[in-house]
Amino acid sequence: MRISIPTALAAALLASGCNLLGGPPVAPKPAAYTKPEPVAWMLITPPERLTVLELREALDRLPSNGAALPAASGEVDVDRLAVQAFYEKLQAEPTADGRAALLVEESLDRAAPPERWNQVREFRTEEHCRTTLGELQEITRDASEEVRYYDGMPLYELQWVFLEWSNRWGRCVPLDRLPAAATPTGM
């Protein structure tokens, strides 16, 4: 079998890896796939005001007959007047649930900027954060309903009322919106 010169030349060029245009066609290398960095989410709840325990202790000291608040050592008159005003507001509320709501409103600082909120836990996705927040709301609501608020409630029971409302007002926020130095504080 005889091969023609043009065929032999074409075969030689192909065999050497060259074509007439300067080499074999080179497939472009695929760009290296870089997975986008996932956005982490943080479950946050409102911070407590520093006066919660003091407020509760002051309310426990108040006389039931509507008399003025007795002074305690080291109390500033402005603080004392604020507690007295709050006490009068509580006295005016006819229902125990209404008084509980007033206590919570006074004790949790929803107006604080998000970087001051309690950082409960970090999540990989917003969906997981929202699911966990929903579960926390359900658990604390059930526990709060079990103990139900009543006047003179001990602090260890009152914590369920605070936790319920804290989780009710909780939020899921992208972690990059919070300061880098912040770490979860737990619940």
Side-chain angles (χ1 to χ4, degrees):
M1 174 159 93
R2 279 185 104 176
I3 300 178
S4 68
I5 294 180
T7 307
L9 186 60
L13 285 174
L14 266 170
S16 68
C18 296
N19 69 11
L20 293 175
L21 300 175
V26 178
K29 277 189 165 182
Y33 177 73
T34 56
K35 189 174 181 180
E37 201 56 40
V39 175
W41 290 80
M42 180 65 72
L43 171 58
I44 60 174
T45 57
E48 292 180 0
R49 294 189 181 145
L50 297 176
T51 60
V52 176
L53 189 55
E54 296 164 346
L55 174 67
R56 180 56 199 229
E57 289 172 355
L59 292 175
D60 288 343
R61 288 192 325 236
L62 287 173
S64 58
N65 62 3
L69 175 68
S73 61
E75 276 191 60
V76 178
D77 284 337
V78 175
D79 293 338
R80 192 170 161 274
L81 292 174
V83 171
Q84 178 71 34
F86 181 68
Y87 176 71
E88 290 168 3
K89 191 175 177 181
L90 269 178
Q91 291 285 45
E93 177 58 47
T95 66
D97 287 338
R99 287 188 291 279
L102 285 172
L103 271 172
V104 170
E105 279 285 339
E106 185 67 23
S107 68
L108 296 176
D109 188 7
R110 292 189 322 168
E115 57 269 8
R116 284 200 34 237
W117 283 41
N118 300 319
Q119 296 182 11
V120 179
R121 183 170 173 209
E122 184 177 329
F123 296 88
R124 290 185 187 168
T125 67
E126 181 180 15
E127 180 184 355
H128 286 132
C129 184
R130 292 194 185 284
T131 300
T132 300
L133 178 58
E135 291 169 356
L136 283 171
Q137 289 170 340
E138 185 178 337
I139 290 167
T140 54
R141 182 186 61 243
D142 292 348
S144 179
E145 286 177 0
E146 193 172 300
V147 297
R148 299 295 296 171
Y149 176 80
Y150 57 90
D151 294 327
M153 174 183 251
L155 282 175
Y156 68 88
E157 287 183 0
L158 187 59
Q159 73 180 348
W160 288 110
V161 176
F162 286 120
L163 276 174
E164 175 195 359
W165 284 81
S166 180
N167 288 327
R168 186 182 296 183
W169 292 330
R171 299 185 220 166
C172 292
V173 296
L175 193 57
D176 59 3
R177 288 193 189 164
L178 300 172
T183 57
T185 57
M187 285 187 63

